[in-house]
Amino acid sequence: MRLVTRRTGLSADLLRAWEKRHEVVKPARSKSGRRLYSDADLHRLQLLYRATLAGRSIGQVAELPTDALATLVRQDAAADGGLERDGGGAPRPERRTSPSAARYLTDCVRALEQLDAPRLDAILRRAAVALPLTVLLDALVVPLLERVGTGWREGTLRPGHGHTASVALRRVLDGAIQGAGSPFASANVVVATPAGQAHEFGALLVAATAAAEGWRVTYLGADLPAEDIAEVAGRTRARAVALSVVHPPGDRAVSDELRRLRRALPEGVALVVGGAAAAAYGAVLDEIGALWLDDLEDFRKHLATLRRGRRRVR
């Protein structure tokens, strides 16, 4: 299994989940019970991984014959300019930039400006199928949210525009969390916003990112007291709790809530905080041993560190 995970890019937890739930491959067993994967198994797993990177759920592609999978992956690569590969040969999506995502973003902004909710919803749904999830988040969802915020501040967008975007983006992010996350993954992260924080799009982005990285996600939503977050973390044996803090900066109530949460969390559970106002609470986060994250890419790196069992403290 160690070799297969290295060659395919799949985590061991995700590979076991796919085998148990979808029977994507049926490896033989050695006398000692170890899984024995054939070259054909390895090829099929690589194709399945690439198909899910293109935005499809494993349930959509698990039963496809290998030849059909290969055709689908070639079509995805042709449509999106191909996938890069990492040093170990495993396919990985481009991050941050994508010509396809740029086109979807332009179409989304145009539909939003025209308050055409059905069209905006349709564009986002097509993008969710066509783009790898990391590209969807980094190059479409985040820039679109930024455009909405800029338009609101500059007065070019009205409340109706914001609500139209929120409803459509919420559907996409909910779908990403449900479609990408694995209920069988051993690594669990609890995602929420603390009491007094009503804006949850940052938390939704974090939850979708964790799901894309193969984590089991327990998403609690917005405005939750510290004791409730800590209780869920304990009951689900979470490895980490991730919070989004948007505003206001330097609020004593938020600082107190963060301290209460750290005290209430089980020992060994990492606490990570991001969002527009997170930097303003740097002193508090240092005091309680929590981590401030700059962006989604930083969060991905920290998830990888946590999966390896090492906490990184800044």
Side-chain angles (χ1 to χ4, degrees), residues 188-192 216-220 229 232-233 236 238 240-243:
N188 178 46
V189 57
V190 172
V191 182
R216 179 163 49 96
V217 176
T218 303
Y219 183 70
L220 301 181
I229 297 173
V232 173
T236 60
V241 170
L243 302 180

Side-chain angles (χ1 to χ4, degrees), residues 28-234:
R29 295 275 182 169
S30 69
K31 291 182 179 180
S32 62
R34 282 189 169 187
R35 289 172 170 84
L36 300 175
Y37 295 89
S38 66
D39 289 340
D41 290 337
L42 182 61
H43 178 56
R44 179 170 177 79
L45 289 169
Q46 288 172 332
L47 292 172
L48 286 167
Y49 182 51
R50 293 184 68 177
T52 58
L53 286 178
R56 295 175 176 83
S57 69
I58 186 61
Q60 292 175 309
V61 295
E63 296 183 2
L64 291 177
T66 300
D67 289 346
L69 267 174
T71 299
L72 185 66
V73 168
R74 285 196 298 270
Q75 291 172 346
D76 288 340
D80 201 42
L83 292 174
E84 297 179 357
R85 291 179 174 270
D86 64 18
R92 65 181 174 85
E94 296 175 353
R95 288 183 175 167
R96 299 291 179 197
T97 60
S98 166
S100 297
R103 291 193 294 272
Y104 284 119
L105 178 60
T106 298
D107 292 342
C108 283
V109 171
R110 187 176 298 116
L112 181 60
E113 290 173 345
Q114 296 170 357
L115 288 175
D116 191 340
R119 183 163 171 251
L120 176 61
D121 188 64
I123 295 167
L124 287 171
R125 288 178 184 274
R126 288 199 301 271
V129 172
L131 298 174
L133 183 50
T134 50
V135 174
L136 178 76
L137 298 175
D138 290 346
L140 179 55
V141 175
V142 171
L144 184 56
L145 284 169
E146 290 172 348
R147 295 281 187 95
V148 173
T150 300
W152 177 271
R153 289 190 298 271
E154 295 177 350
T156 58
L157 296 180
R158 300 186 301 278
H161 295 95
H163 285 286
T164 299
S166 296
V167 170
L169 287 169
R170 178 63 187 257
R171 288 196 191 102
V172 169
L173 292 172
D174 282 342
I177 295 166
Q178 294 298 318
S182 171
F184 301 104
S186 60
N188 178 46
V189 57
V190 172
V191 182
T193 76
Q197 296 289 308
H199 297 276
E200 63 174 319
F201 268 102
L204 282 167
L205 282 166
V206 163
T209 298
E213 296 299 307
W215 283 61
R216 179 163 49 96
V217 176
T218 303
Y219 183 70
L220 301 181
D223 193 13
L224 208 64
E227 292 75 16
D228 291 344
I229 297 173
E231 181 180 4
V232 173

